[in-house]
Amino acid sequence: MKLRRLLTAAGLLAATLVPGPPATAAGLPSGFVEQTVFTGLNQPTNIEFAPDGRIFVAQKNGVIKVYDSLDDPTPDTFADLSAKVHNFWDRGMLGLALAPNFPTSPYVYVLYTYDAKPGGTAPTWGDACPNPPGDTADGCVVTGRLSRLKAVGNQMSGPEEVLVTDWCQQYPSHSVGDLAFGADGALYASAGDGASFNWTDYGQDGSPVNPCGDPGGANPAPPGAEGGALRSQDVRTTADPTGLDGTVIRIDPATGAGLPGNPYASSADANARRISSFGLRNPFRLAVRPGTSEVWAADVGWTTWEEIDRLAAPGGNFGWPCYEGTGRQAQYDNVNVSLCESLYTAGGVTAPHYTYNHDSKVVAGEACPTGGSAISGLAFYPGSGGTYPAQYQNSLFFSDYSRNCIWSMGVGANGLPDPTKIQTFASGAAGPADLEIGPGGDVYYADLNGGTIRRLRYYPANRPPVPAFTATPSAGPAPLTVAFDGGGSTDPDPGDILTYRWDFDNNGTQDAIGRTASYTYATAGPRTAKLTVTDSTGASASTTRQINPGDSPPTAVIDSPAGSLRWKVGDTVTFAGHATDTQDGTLPANRLHWQLVLQHCSSATDCHSHAVREFDGAGGTFTAPDHEYPSHLDLILTATDSAGLTGTSTVRLDPRTVDLTFATAPAGLQVSVGSATGTGPFTRTVIVGSSQSVSAPTPQVVGGQAYAFGTWSDGGAQTHVLVAPATPATLTASYTPISSALSVTGTATIAGTGRPLSGATVTLTPGGQTTTTSATGGYAFTNLTPGTYGVTATLGLGRCVTPATASVIVDGPKVADLAVTARTDGYGHTCVDAARPFRTGATTLALTGDDKVAPVTLPFAFPYYGQTYTAATVDSNGVLAFGTATSAAANVDLPATSAPNAAVYPFWRDLGLDASSQVLTSAGPGTFTVEWRNAYIYGYRSHRITFSVTLLANGDIEVGYRDLDARASEQGGTATVGIENETGTVGLRYSHGEPVLRDGISVLFRRP
């Protein structure tokens, strides 16, 4: 399954949301046993343990249950938000958190799919969707909502307090995600991209098209499209308001506002201020590493990879949809949209901490299956106080809902989870949709399918048995004789002998012993039968089930459709049914409940369910949904009689399919269909009427010959959506040989100076080819096909120059010279950012501590903004001020009249220098360097940076960086970089609060 899954398999809830029989006990390491703690829940999605012993459980339908303790079998309903929650496919109430000092701070936080379009009021759709994804409609557009609820006892008191409403979602997966509190008290929330899981979605679908209102209007197209999955990169664009899809936000839990320290905290856009990290597909679950505010995310992938992402500090772009796992996402790379092409050029994407491939085992030789994959849970085990063996201390537990497995990732020498130390912890788990560490240090998980909460408990010595029994029959006319068999009971410790005690009416009296027994219930009325199993060492455990003498379950009958029906996407299917009961007769329509479930199968025996929709009554209609093949529909009718007994009937409805062949001319080139790429010709079986995204990568080289895409045989664009016809068809992508005689050459310079732009990146579109200019600014592209091309030159990270763009019509050799416009201040300084060797200091300066300064003597008279200086002051906070100055920890934008002035700011921010830090200076012919080595960002001792500033005798200034990691704070997300005159009225800012600094990239400020 491709995730659509977890909530669709792409999603997470996806691989299933259908109540079913309890799964068999998970396979666990020696000493562990699985126990069912709570039963009878309706699709539990999230568990939270309160310090006072209460347990809160969110259900997908928007109802929150609260148990007084682990021994409380009957929960109270804390809140019912079902009228506002869109409970459809993978949408619903998915996130839950308690205030860190709950119940002193009496707030319960919820994150759910809000049943309304942007700006609308719930309910809009109910728990349905008349315009399902895959047809020409919009897929039932909704939003997400983050709220806090005040708890008084076990009930919500007062109105829901809405903190954030955003997260436009066009399709029914990749909805909202999880909530977590950091050690700093900040509230983190995650959400998916809300895009299609069937095709390469850049906003091109819907009725109207682009219903989330992303840039591109009614006809979004590459290269400028920014919708669909590209919403995960929205914060990188400033022409439109920022959306929160595909992000993790960090907010004030009282107001919902973004917090200082976020990478875009200074933005005028309220949503941008909230964003901590972005570029995520479906960050379904979050976990905070104990003792830190370090957030980790379980991000559900598409075609190939599941990710565990480390959000070590606010900031970080994880690359989706341009990247999946550690590499480029082929289908989105083929589209050549500017948001991805510019990211490929600029770099700076944060790599996952760990990935696993859908077709590979997480641990070699384990029982966990491959194929369908949907990472669904994260939880850090405490470093002390838990009952598990020492090897699990500080480990990261993670689960996969589709594989039904849980793993532990042991800690490495650096204190972080180590991917080389992964062990299979639980195989055959019951669809774990959330992991939590509960009282006593046990791992708990939410069993979405079976409606249970389960505990994985460790016994250092003998483990108790796991009781199970059958009762045949469990209902029928009284008197009712029932045969009981406890043979399904097991004991996890080899060699233990089990004994069995029966209490047939659960009144505390032993009624029989032995593995099997028989009992006659003389009178009508529900009873509870109890089996207690005891092992050789005296450890025992019990289980119960209800017996119904004097009553029989109803018989549910599906009258239509018949199992012979074959559907295509968009078909309207009418269904009807009835039920009879021995005691009640024909049941009324209000006792009939229907479920429509889509089963997606990676093999004949490995299917995962997506709960599409539920209905009440004697019948109705549904619209056949779109999905990847192989898949089929299960229509389930459940009838409930007056005594609460149920009967169920299911009809399997298979789709109409068609074989589509994808070819290339010439043969042997590659094309992409949906989430996969193959060499033409190849054939795929798809559901009739399904939407298939097809793309023709260009250019390609086969046998030494280069080819450029020409046309598709259906007349579609290079990337377009194909609706599968009813009869077999062939779609051919025709390519044109590329002649080496067609080329574009040129020279890139800085306008008005004639200086060559060496080391610049020049990009050619369409096609996304890039090259780097030579020392003289020259560049060349060859082997082009005839057509119109755009040529764009940028330098480094693009902070010092405005890109230059030219358009040329290529029908032979062409010259396109480019002149970029340099940023400048009022005095005439310009800057150039490019790769240069890092300049280091050699002599240690007597400077250490926090907010400290030290004087230095310059080896030459340095010309600066019309003045000449022979002395300077080094500030521990990343400032070199000319003359004397005091320390300044609070950085501001440039220029600013507030002190300090007459200064160079290589990394102005509140920094500290401890015993592992140094400030060093060195002087060479015409140069003077100050290096801040291994300084720490104040408040984060583990966040270390190294940078330097070099003064050149001609008045130029160079700043450079080394040992930065992927944290936005280390890349300048909270710092100021630039130069400024002695009055603070003129200056040239390179960056302010922008995570744009990189190792090996120096900024040269040139004196006019």
Side-chain angles (χ1 to χ4, degrees):
M1 210 166 146
K2 292 262 175 332
L3 266 160
R4 244 144 291 178
R5 301 165 294 134
L6 241 46
L7 292 171
T8 126
L12 246 175
L13 293 180
T16 91
L17 304 171
V18 183
T24 56
L28 295 164
S30 177
F32 287 89
V33 66
E34 179 181 277
Q35 299 172 332
T36 299
V37 180
F38 301 129
T39 61
L41 292 160
N42 183 0
Q43 298 180 341
T45 58
N46 210 301
I47 321 162
E48 294 295 329
F49 294 93
D52 61 8
R54 286 183 286 173
I55 303 97
F56 289 76
V57 179
Q59 297 183 158
K60 185 171 173 285
N61 62 2
V63 176
I64 303 171
K65 299 290 187 178
V66 57
Y67 296 84
D68 291 329
S69 69
L70 290 170
D71 297 322
D72 179 8
T74 309
D76 294 327
T77 297
F78 171 77
D80 184 350
L81 303 182
S82 58
K84 301 176 182 180
V85 173
H86 194 224
N87 180 23
F88 179 76
W89 279 53
D90 298 336
R91 295 171 172 176
M93 180 176 286
L94 308 181
L96 182 70
L98 305 179
N101 58 342
F102 185 88
T104 301
S105 178
Y107 293 107
V108 177
Y109 292 81
V110 292
L111 181 65
Y112 63 88
T113 311
Y114 183 57
D115 186 17
K117 297 179 179 181
T121 301
T124 296
W125 309 109
D127 293 332
C129 181
N131 303 316
D135 61 11
T136 58
D138 60 18
C140 297
V141 175
V142 293
T143 47
R145 175 174 278 189
L146 193 167
S147 300
R148 70 175 185 176
L149 317 175
K150 186 174 182 179
V152 175
N154 279 358
Q155 275 75 44
M156 168 186 168
S157 177
E160 172 188 7
E161 185 179 354
V162 179
L163 300 178
V164 182
T165 298
D166 193 79
W167 300 287
C168 184
Q169 303 159 43
Q170 185 175 353
Y171 295 99
S173 189
H174 314 183
S175 185
V176 294
D178 205 8
L179 296 173
F181 276 94
D184 58 358
L187 177 61
Y188 292 82
S190 65
D193 61 14
S196 172
F197 48 67
N198 274 342
W199 60 73
T200 308
D201 180 6
Y202 49 80
Q204 72 272 37
D205 187 57
S207 179
V209 171
N210 192 14
C212 284
D214 298 300
N219 188 30
E226 297 179 9
L230 294 165
R231 287 191 292 266
S232 294
Q233 298 289 327
D234 192 35
V235 73
R236 294 175 52 220
T237 67
T238 57
D240 63 306
T242 301
L244 298 179
D245 295 280
T247 71
V248 172
I249 63 174
R250 176 177 176 267
I251 62 171
D252 183 330
T255 66
L259 289 171
N262 287 352
Y264 302 96
S266 61
S267 173
D269 187 305
N271 269 351
R273 294 195 297 271
R274 292 181 171 116
I275 291 175
S276 171
S277 297
F278 62 100
L280 297 156
R281 182 176 185 266
N282 185 13
F284 185 69
R285 287 291 173 248
L286 301 176
V288 177
R289 193 157 66 92
T292 74
S293 289
E294 188 174 288
V295 177
W296 294 59
D299 193 19
V300 180
W302 186 23
T303 63
T304 311
W305 299 103
E306 301 300 295
E307 296 183 10
I308 295 178
D309 296 323
R310 179 190 178 208
L311 287 57
N317 180 358
F318 290 88
W320 175 260
C322 312
Y323 290 84
E324 182 186 5
T326 58
R328 294 188 185 187
Q329 213 298 322
Q331 283 65 46
Y332 283 92
D333 187 9
N334 292 344
V335 180
N336 295 324
V337 288
S338 296
L339 270 173
C340 286
E341 297 303 321
S342 61
L343 189 60
Y344 299 146
T345 299
V349 170
T350 303
H353 181 80
Y354 171 69
T355 63
Y356 60 94
N357 189 291
H358 294 181
D359 294 328
S360 300
K361 299 280 190 181
V362 172
V363 176
E366 67 182 1
C368 300
T370 59
S373 302
I375 189 167
S376 59
L378 289 180
F380 279 94
Y381 200 78
S384 62
T387 59
Y388 284 12
Q391 71 187 75
Y392 295 103
Q393 291 180 357
N394 297 310
S395 290
L396 176 62
F397 285 85
F398 64 100
S399 62
D400 189 301
Y401 176 79
S402 293
R403 298 193 187 196
N404 290 319
C405 280
I406 302 172
W407 298 268
S408 66
M409 186 185 300
V411 67
N414 61 357
L416 298 176
D418 185 346
T420 68
K421 297 184 177 181
I422 296 177
Q423 298 179 9
T424 310
F425 185 72
S427 59
D434 184 37
L435 296 181
E436 296 290 339
I437 307 299
D442 293 329
V443 172
Y444 289 74
Y445 72 87
D447 161 22
L448 185 70
N449 285 346
T452 68
I453 303 299
R454 303 192 180 206
R455 171 173 58 194
L456 305 178
R457 195 168 182 180
Y458 179 67
Y459 291 87
N462 181 63
R463 290 171 290 177
V466 180
F469 70 92
T470 60
T472 309
S474 61
L480 179 69
T481 299
V482 181
F484 293 93
D485 188 343
S489 303
T490 59
D491 191 279
D493 299 308
D496 274 359
I497 305 299
L498 300 182
T499 59
Y500 305 81
R501 291 183 291 115
W502 299 92
D503 181 353
F504 297 124
D505 49 10
N506 200 22
N507 63 358
T509 301
Q510 177 176 300
D511 295 318
I513 60 174
R515 183 179 66 81
T516 61
S518 177
Y519 186 78
T520 299
Y521 294 91
T523 60
R527 309 288 207 284
T528 299
K530 179 179 181 180
L531 169 64
T532 300
V533 181
T534 304
D535 67 15
S536 307
T537 65
S540 63
S542 301
T543 188
T544 62
R545 65 178 303 167
Q546 184 169 307
I547 310 298
N548 292 277
D551 203 348
S552 300
T555 300
V557 178
I558 296 177
D559 298 311
S560 65
S564 58
L565 174 76
R566 294 296 178 264
W567 52 271
K568 66 179 186 298
V569 174
D571 277 354
T572 298
V573 179
T574 300
F575 60 91
H578 69 278
T580 57
D581 183 75
T582 302
Q583 291 74 36
D584 297 344
T586 300
L587 296 185
N590 63 4
R591 292 193 172 276
L592 303 181
H593 181 75
W594 301 80
Q595 291 174 295
L596 179 65
V597 180
L598 188 146
Q599 299 284 358
H600 181 95
C601 306
S602 55
S603 69
T605 58
D606 184 11
C607 296
H608 306 275
S609 5
H610 305 249
V612 177
R613 189 179 173 185
E614 299 186 10
F615 313 81
D616 289 311
T621 63
F622 65 83
T623 303
D626 193 355
H627 208 277
E628 187 177 17
Y629 185 78
S631 57
H632 64 271
L633 296 173
D634 283 340
L635 183 62
I636 306 166
L637 171 60
T638 301
T640 305
D641 68 13
S642 59
L645 299 183
T646 61
T648 299
S649 178
T650 301
V651 60
R652 170 172 169 156
L653 303 174
D654 287 300
R656 292 172 55 193
T657 62
V658 62
D659 287 340
L660 301 182
T661 299
F662 299 89
T664 63
L669 298 175
Q670 289 194 323
V671 294
S672 298
V673 181
S675 59
T677 299
T679 300
F682 60 89
T683 299
R684 289 188 62 182
T685 300
V686 301
I687 299 174
V688 174
S690 63
S691 296
Q692 306 293 322
S693 175
V694 295
S695 181
T698 188
Q700 298 186 53
V701 178
V702 174
Q705 173 63 57
Y707 295 90
F709 170 73
T711 61
W712 280 104
S713 56
D714 66 349
Q718 177 188 348
T719 296
H720 66 284
V721 174
L722 166 72
V723 177
T727 57
T730 298
L731 188 68
T732 302
S734 295
Y735 281 78
T736 303
I738 296 175
S739 169
S740 60
L742 305 186
S743 63
V744 175
T745 60
T747 302
T749 59
I750 298 178
T753 68
R755 292 175 179 164
L757 208 58
S758 62
T761 297
V762 184
T763 303
L764 186 74
T765 54
Q769 296 183 59
T770 61
T771 189
T772 303
T773 56
S774 66
T776 59
Y779 73 92
F781 293 102
T782 59
N783 294 332
L784 304 181
T785 54
T788 301
Y789 290 85
V791 189
T792 303
T794 56
L795 184 62
L797 296 172
R799 310 301 304 173
C800 290
V801 297
T802 301
T805 299
S807 179
V808 292
I809 299 175
V810 176
D811 53 9
K814 294 293 179 182
V815 176
D817 291 328
L818 302 169
V820 302
T821 302
R823 292 173 57 190
T824 183
D825 59 10
Y827 188 74
H829 286 97
T830 58
C831 70
V832 176
D833 48 3
R836 299 183 186 86
F838 180 77
R839 296 182 185 261
T840 61
T843 303
T844 301
L845 186 66
L847 180 62
T848 189
D850 180 39
D851 298 338
K852 303 298 184 182
V853 296
V856 293
T857 300
L858 305 181
F860 46 78
F862 183 69
Y864 193 59
Y865 282 107
Q867 306 293 322
T868 301
Y869 298 95
T870 57
T873 300
V874 180
D875 185 348
S876 61
N877 294 309
V879 178
L880 180 66
F882 296 106
T884 59
T886 58
S887 181
N891 61 301
V892 298
D893 202 356
L894 300 177
T897 56
S898 57
N901 302 122
V904 180
Y905 307 93
F907 196 101
W908 183 19
R909 198 233 193 253
D910 193 0
L911 303 175
L913 304 169
D914 58 15
S916 62
S917 309
Q918 288 179 285
V919 175
L920 306 103
T921 64
S922 63
T927 65
F928 177 72
T929 297
V930 180
E931 177 192 1
W932 287 255
R933 184 177 296 176
N934 207 36
Y936 66 86
I937 296 177
Y938 188 81
Y940 302 91
R941 290 264 179 169
S942 63
H943 297 197
R944 299 281 174 164
I945 56 173
T946 296
F947 58 92
S948 67
V949 57
T950 299
L951 308 180
L952 284 74
N954 66 356
D956 289 351
I957 302 165
E958 182 182 316
V959 298
Y961 306 90
R962 188 179 68 183
D963 299 335
L964 305 181
D965 68 13
R967 297 181 176 97
S969 58
E970 296 194 20
Q971 295 176 354
T974 55
T976 300
V977 180
I979 60 176
E980 185 183 52
N981 73 351
E982 71 281 1
T983 60
T985 55
V986 176
L988 179 55
R989 177 193 70 215
Y990 179 76
S991 63
H992 172 64
E994 301 165 275
V996 296
L997 307 179
R998 299 290 186 271
D999 278 9
I1001 299 295
S1002 293
V1003 183
L1004 180 64
F1005 296 95
R1006 283 178 165 158
R1007 180 174 177 243

